[in-house]
Amino acid sequence: MPAAAGPSSRLFLRLRATNALGAGWVVAAALAFATLGSLSGVAYRSGMGSPTFVALRAVIGATALVALVALRHRSWVRIGGLPRQERVMLAAAMLANGTLNLALFAAYGEMAVALVLAVYFTYPMLVAVTSVLIGRERFTRARTAGLLLSACGVVLVLADQVGVARFSPIGMAWAVAAAACQATYLVVSRRGYTRVPAEQATALILGGGAILAGAVVLAVDLPAGRLLSWASDAAAWAAVLTAGLLGAAAAKVWLLRGVRQLGGTRTAVLMLLEPVAGVLLAAAVLGQAISPTEAVGGLVIIAAAVLVQRPAPGPAAPPTPVSS
C-alpha cells in the first residue's frame, strides 16, 4: 500500500490547489478588465465625460455587490472593530483605487489607448520592487526572467499601435499615476485587510472611488455641460452598466481574491493577460486582424506568467487565511 501523505505533502498539495484557484481568479479578472478600454470608448463617443464614467461604474459595481451580499444573507464585518492597521490599509486601498480609475480613464481621454496601456502596464515592475523592498518577496531567477519577459511581451503586443499613437504629456502623466496607484493597490491588498470578505471590501473600495469621482464630476463634467448630455444614448448606458457589473464588481472581487492567494508580483504579471485579451476581443468583435508581432507578444506574456508562478525556493508557508 502506498504510504500515507505526511504533513509536508498535504501542505504542498494545499498550496498547489490554492495557487491554481488564485491564478484562475486573476485570469478571470484580467479578461473582465480587458473590456474597459472599448466600453469607455463607446461612452465617450456619446459625450460622457471620463469622471462620469468612472463614478457611474463605481456606483453600479458597489450597488451590485451590496445586493449580492444581502441576497446571500451574509453579515458584514464591522469596520470599526478591525485593528487600526487594517482600517488604514483599507482606506489606502480605497484612495489608490479611486485615484487609479480617475487617472486611467482621464489618460484614455487624452491619449491613444495603446500608449496609455504601454505605460500603465509597467506596474508589475513596481509591485515586484516594492514587495522586495518591504521584505515580502524576493527576486529569484525565475521571477526576474518572468518580469523581463512580460515587459517584452507588452511591448510586442502594443508595438504596432504605439508607433502611430497620439502622444500627450498630460495623458502620459495620468498613465504613470495610474500605474503607481495600481501597484499600491495590489501591494496593500495582499495582506492589508484580510479580515474583510472580498465582496464587502470591494463594495467599500468602489464606494470610496464613487465619492472621489463624484467630486470630480461636479467640478469638471457639470460646468462643461457633459453631466447628462449622453443620457438618451442607449449604447452609453449599456457600456457603463457592463463596465459596472463586469469591469468593476466582478473583476475587482476576482482580483482581490487572487492577490490574497498569490501575492503581488505573481498577480501583477498574470494581469498582463489583459492587453492580450483586449487584442483578441478587438479581433473577435471589431474584426481587427492580429499581427504576427501581437501574436508573439501574447505568447511571450503567457510564458512569463507561467514562469513567475514558480514558487520561490525555501520552506513552504501556508496560504494566508482570508475572508472571501
Side-chain angles (χ1 to χ4, degrees), residues 139-175:
F139 282 127
T140 63
R141 291 181 179 179
R143 290 191 181 180
T144 302
L147 285 165
L148 294 175
L149 271 178
S150 67
C152 293
V154 170
V155 170
L156 290 172
V157 167
L158 301 174
D160 293 341
Q161 303 172 61
V162 169
V164 296
R166 174 172 54 91
F167 175 80
S168 163
I170 296 176
M172 181 64 69
W174 282 123

Side-chain angles (χ1 to χ4, degrees), residues 199-225:
E199 290 88 350
Q200 179 183 350
T202 303
L204 291 171
I205 288 167
L206 289 174
I211 294 172
L212 182 60
V216 179
V217 168
L218 295 178
V220 177
D221 282 354
L222 181 60

Side-chain angles (χ1 to χ4, degrees), residues 228-316:
L228 294 174
S229 61
W230 55 273
S232 61
D233 191 326
W237 279 109
V240 76
L241 283 170
T242 304
L245 296 175
L246 179 63
K252 285 290 187 181
V253 169
W254 296 338
L255 177 59
L256 181 53
R257 289 177 177 173
V259 72
R260 284 175 168 180
Q261 294 178 339
L262 290 181
T265 300
R266 298 161 87 182
T267 296
V269 174
L270 270 177
M271 284 297 294
L272 293 180
L273 294 173
E274 181 181 338
V276 179
V279 170
L280 294 175
L281 182 65
V285 176
L286 304 177
Q288 297 179 1
I290 299 176
S291 71
T293 303
E294 291 172 331
V296 171
L299 293 175
V300 169
I301 289 175
I302 292 171
V306 172
L307 190 59
V308 170
Q309 298 314 305
R310 294 181 61 183

Side-chain angles (χ1 to χ4, degrees), residues 53-275:
F53 181 84
V54 172
L56 286 175
R57 170 179 172 259
V59 168
I60 291 167
T63 303
L65 289 173
V66 170
L68 179 64
V69 172
L71 287 173
R72 291 181 174 180
H73 303 289
R74 291 187 176 180
S75 59
W76 286 61
V77 172
R78 191 171 67 87
I79 302 302
L82 294 175
R84 181 176 181 277
Q85 182 178 358
E86 291 210 22
R87 296 198 304 271
V88 170
M89 292 295 100
L90 181 58
M94 293 170 66
L95 180 61
N97 177 77
T99 308
L100 158 67
N101 290 324
L102 285 170
L104 188 58
F105 289 107
Y108 286 152
E110 295 287 340
M111 195 166 61
V113 170
L115 193 52
V116 172
L117 294 179
V119 177
Y120 173 65
F121 282 114
T122 60
Y123 74 78
M125 294 290 185
L126 301 179
V127 171
V129 171
T130 304
S131 298
V132 170
L133 289 176
I134 64 178
R136 187 176 290 171
E137 299 180 15
R138 65 180 184 271
F139 282 127
T140 63
R141 291 181 179 179
R143 290 191 181 180
T144 302
L147 285 165
L148 294 175
L149 271 178
S150 67
C152 293
V154 170
V155 170
L156 290 172
V157 167
L158 301 174
D160 293 341
Q161 303 172 61
V162 169
V164 296
R166 174 172 54 91
F167 175 80
S168 163
I170 296 176
M172 181 64 69
W174 282 123
V176 170
C181 289
Q182 178 71 327
T184 301
Y185 177 77
L186 290 177
V187 171
V188 167
S189 296
R190 170 65 171 110
R191 295 176 182 169
Y193 43 95
T194 55
R195 290 177 175 84
V196 186
E199 290 88 350
Q200 179 183 350
T202 303
L204 291 171
I205 288 167
L206 289 174
I211 294 172
L212 182 60
V216 179
V217 168
L218 295 178
V220 177
D221 282 354
L222 181 60
R226 291 195 298 261
L227 186 59
L228 294 174
S229 61
W230 55 273
S232 61
D233 191 326
W237 279 109
V240 76
L241 283 170
T242 304
L245 296 175
L246 179 63
K252 285 290 187 181
V253 169
W254 296 338
L255 177 59
L256 181 53
R257 289 177 177 173
V259 72
R260 284 175 168 180
Q261 294 178 339
L262 290 181
T265 300
R266 298 161 87 182
T267 296
V269 174
L270 270 177
M271 284 297 294
L272 293 180
L273 294 173
E274 181 181 338

Side-chain angles (χ1 to χ4, degrees), residues 5-19 315-319:
S8 298
S9 298
R10 288 196 296 271
L11 178 57
F12 176 74
L13 292 175
R14 182 185 172 200
L15 284 169
R16 288 191 62 180
T18 300
N19 289 341

